[in-house]
Amino acid sequence: MSKPVIAITGPTKGAVGPRFLVAQAVRYYGGEPLQLKPGDETKHHGYQGVVVTGGHDIDPVLYAAEPEVKPKYDAARDTLETAIIDDALARELPLLGICRGAQLLNVRCGGNLFQDLKSRRKLTSNRRTLLPLKTLCLEPDSHLARLLGVERGKINSLHNQAIDQVGKGLVISARDLDNITQAIEAPGRRFVMGVQWHPEFLLFMHRQRRLFKALVTAAREVG
């Protein structure tokens, strides 16, 4: 059986670490990573799954809102990843959105975002950390809970924005102790999931690796 091709998007400038780590996880579980960059949305690619990684904030114009924080957007990535997410949803391909990727998935389904979380955090820290110090509270009947096999877990936190209203066809599958959405998923689809944390930096945790294994397994089933 040929390896399923997994399209991976990431920052257009600066660190390539997240993309590299995602690609390693994809390879480990038998997939073939395909790194996409702005401009590639106009080309034909034969991929069977998608990972949209983290990065700059999403331009609020994409969910019809006014900017509430100092802009730090990446219009080229917005264009690329909008096209890739829309294509994956239209073709019912497995999709994993990480941090920014989860937020853009929600926006493409008609949802919106909290642009600044500082005032909404009471029980959780505003500190950005790669370490799994934040508590994850999973919905017990969710796909994510079945995948991870726990009702509570530990995650890292690098985000300053998060999902507000959930998009059409999506449900919340996990929150943190401040009730801020940490994961969404699409019931009825093969594998469509968005997680607010960065599992690529937690590959030493076997439960976090299951996200990438599930994605590659689902992509292998695509006709």
Side-chain angles (χ1 to χ4, degrees):
M1 182 182 296
S2 61
K3 295 181 178 180
V5 177
I6 308 298
I8 303 171
T9 70
T12 55
K13 298 178 181 179
V16 296
R19 286 184 293 166
F20 173 79
L21 292 171
V22 170
Q24 294 306 310
V26 166
R27 287 192 182 95
Y28 183 80
Y29 288 110
E32 183 65 37
L34 171 66
Q35 302 281 2
L36 297 183
K37 61 185 184 302
D40 287 344
E41 67 272 15
T42 63
K43 305 172 184 176
H44 175 73
H45 301 282
Y47 51 81
Q48 289 78 49
V50 172
V51 181
V52 180
T53 66
H56 288 321
D57 296 339
I58 294 164
D59 192 331
V61 73
L62 296 179
Y63 49 97
E66 294 292 329
E68 297 174 5
V69 296
K70 185 177 180 180
K72 196 174 184 181
Y73 309 136
D74 188 335
R77 275 196 71 187
D78 287 345
T79 299
L80 166 68
E81 292 170 350
T82 290
I84 297 300
I85 289 174
D86 289 353
D87 177 61
L89 293 175
R91 293 202 283 143
E92 298 190 355
L93 301 181
L95 186 157
L96 175 62
I98 296 174
C99 198
R100 166 195 159 91
Q103 296 167 9
L104 188 55
L105 167 63
N106 186 62
V107 167
R108 295 312 301 161
C109 291
N112 62 11
L113 307 175
F114 291 122
Q115 294 184 40
D116 191 351
L117 293 177
K118 289 185 178 65
S119 64
R120 300 182 180 277
R121 286 189 171 127
K122 308 300 180 185
L123 301 175
T124 57
S125 172
N126 284 305
R127 182 176 63 172
R128 295 161 64 87
T129 176
L130 291 174
L131 299 176
L133 301 178
K134 179 176 285 187
T135 299
L136 181 71
C137 306
L138 295 108
E139 293 295 327
D141 60 344
S142 66
H143 183 185
L144 181 61
R146 293 191 294 272
L147 187 62
L148 299 185
V150 293
E151 292 186 5
R152 285 201 172 196
K154 290 294 184 179
I155 53 174
N156 52 24
S157 180
L158 295 174
H159 62 105
N160 62 298
Q161 298 192 331
I163 291 165
D164 179 7
Q165 296 178 345
V166 179
K168 183 177 179 181
L170 302 173
V171 298
I172 297 172
S173 51
R175 298 174 172 86
D176 63 21
L177 295 177
D178 279 319
N179 209 37
I180 296 170
T181 298
Q182 289 293 324
I184 53 175
E185 59 186 53
R189 286 184 178 265
R190 181 183 283 110
F191 184 94
V192 172
M193 192 171 292
V195 298
Q196 189 61 77
W197 67 95
H198 286 260
E200 73 274 23
F201 290 118
L202 301 174
L203 295 177
F204 59 91
M205 302 172 69
H206 71 279
R207 286 191 173 90
Q208 297 295 325
R209 295 197 300 272
R210 290 176 187 173
L211 291 168
F212 300 104
K213 181 180 181 180
L215 173 79
V216 174
T217 298
R220 196 172 282 119
E221 298 171 355
V222 174

